[in-house]
């Protein structure tokens, strides 16, 4: 079988592995709770930079040349809501549709989705609707709005401003707005998102457990 590549950078553990399914476990009361969150969107939307900011590997000010993600990166961070704690597995998925054959494996067991795009880029604005909203998000139509976060990355300048979300993403409004020179502000939006998402996930699990117990009577 394939072996994981494990890197330690800035105190956070980053695991990079080939695209394959990972089973998430939700522990009772938050013990050993693991939550899989997908980070998706077009190429060059800033997904990997945002992921690095969230796991505190970067403050977003690095000026490295663009390097497209190959398949998927898996990063871990500790998430904490008002009632629940969880290890968050952040799956930074390539924006290249050439990897679409791996999507079913990547989508398995996901409990949250973060959608990132630059609304000022006409190609990204088109791709976010035709590729990501139409195709990638189709298996997640059952997700509650609190399980999905839309992030608009703005490149700065006086003409750069938030745009209305495409119709198929409108239920997830309002979007988090992040300026390219202030990427660390995404942490507050992500923390707020985790709080609501973890609550929804745990409530769903408790309902499923109650239903199983009821069937067993």
């Amino acid at each position: 079988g394939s072996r994981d590549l494990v890197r330690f950078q800035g105190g956070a553990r980053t695991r990079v592995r080939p695209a394959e399914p990972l089973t998430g476990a939700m522990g009772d009361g938050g013990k050993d709770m693991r939550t899989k969150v997908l980070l998706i969107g077009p190429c060059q939307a800033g997904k990997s930079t945002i992921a690095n900011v969230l796991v505190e590997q970067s403050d977003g000010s690095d000026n490295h040349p663009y390097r497209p993600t190959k398949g998927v990166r898996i990063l871990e961070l500790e998430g904490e809501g008002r009632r629940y704690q969880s290890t968050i597995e952040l799956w930074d998925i390539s924006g290249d549709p050439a990897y679409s054959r791996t999507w079913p494996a990547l989508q398995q067991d996901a409990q949250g989705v973060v959608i990132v795009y630059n609304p000022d880029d006409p190609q990204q604005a088109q791709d976010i609707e035709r590729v990501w909203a139409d195709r990638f998000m189709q298996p997640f139509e059952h997700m509650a709005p609190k399980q999905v976060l839309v992030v608009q990355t703005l490149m700065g300048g006086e003409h750069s401003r938030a745009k209305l979300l495409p119709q198929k993403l409108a239920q997830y409004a309002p979007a988090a707005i992040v300026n390219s020179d202030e990427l660390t502000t995404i942490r507050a939006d992500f923390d707020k998102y985790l709080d609501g998402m973890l609550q929804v996930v745990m409530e769903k699990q408790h309902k499923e457990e109650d239903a199983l117990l009821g069937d067993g009577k």
Side-chain angles (χ1 to χ4, degrees), residues 63-189:
N63 291 317
H64 298 305
Y66 173 67
R67 289 182 296 179
T69 299
K70 295 181 179 179
V72 63
R73 295 190 310 153
I74 304 173
L75 301 92
E76 290 188 354
L77 65 153
E78 296 304 312
E80 186 171 337
R82 283 172 292 182
R83 296 176 55 194
Y84 309 109
Q85 290 183 327
S86 175
T87 297
I88 305 299
E89 295 188 349
L90 192 61
W91 290 50
D92 175 17
I93 295 175
S94 171
D96 189 344
Y99 291 102
S100 60
R101 67 187 184 280
T102 69
W103 287 355
L106 300 175
Q107 292 162 334
Q108 185 175 352
D109 299 317
Q111 291 130 343
V113 180
V114 178
I115 306 170
V116 181
Y117 76 107
N118 175 8
D120 291 327
D121 185 316
Q123 186 62 54
Q124 289 194 31
Q126 184 180 88
D127 288 348
I128 202 67
E129 192 160 13
R130 294 185 179 180
V131 177
W132 300 99
D134 276 356
R135 294 173 55 195
F136 191 96
M137 289 297 292
Q138 191 172 14
F140 301 122
E141 292 179 348
H142 65 284
M143 274 190 171
K146 285 186 177 181
Q147 290 176 268
V148 180
L149 173 66
V150 179
V151 180
Q152 292 186 343
T153 53
L154 306 182
M155 295 299 107
E158 59 180 305
H159 300 298
S160 183
R161 62 187 62 186
K163 303 292 193 299
L164 290 175
L165 293 179
Q167 184 177 356
K168 292 190 176 181
L169 297 178
Q171 63 178 312
Y172 308 125
I177 310 302
V178 183
N179 199 294
S180 60
D181 57 2
E182 297 178 335
L183 285 176
T184 54
T185 60
I186 189 60
R187 291 174 183 156
D189 292 302

Side-chain angles (χ1 to χ4, degrees), residues 45-66:
K47 299 185 300 297
S48 293
T49 301
I50 285 175
N52 291 340
V53 168
L54 291 175
V55 299
E56 299 184 353
Q57 289 185 5
S58 168
D59 62 3
S61 61
D62 306 328
N63 291 317
H64 298 305
Y66 173 67

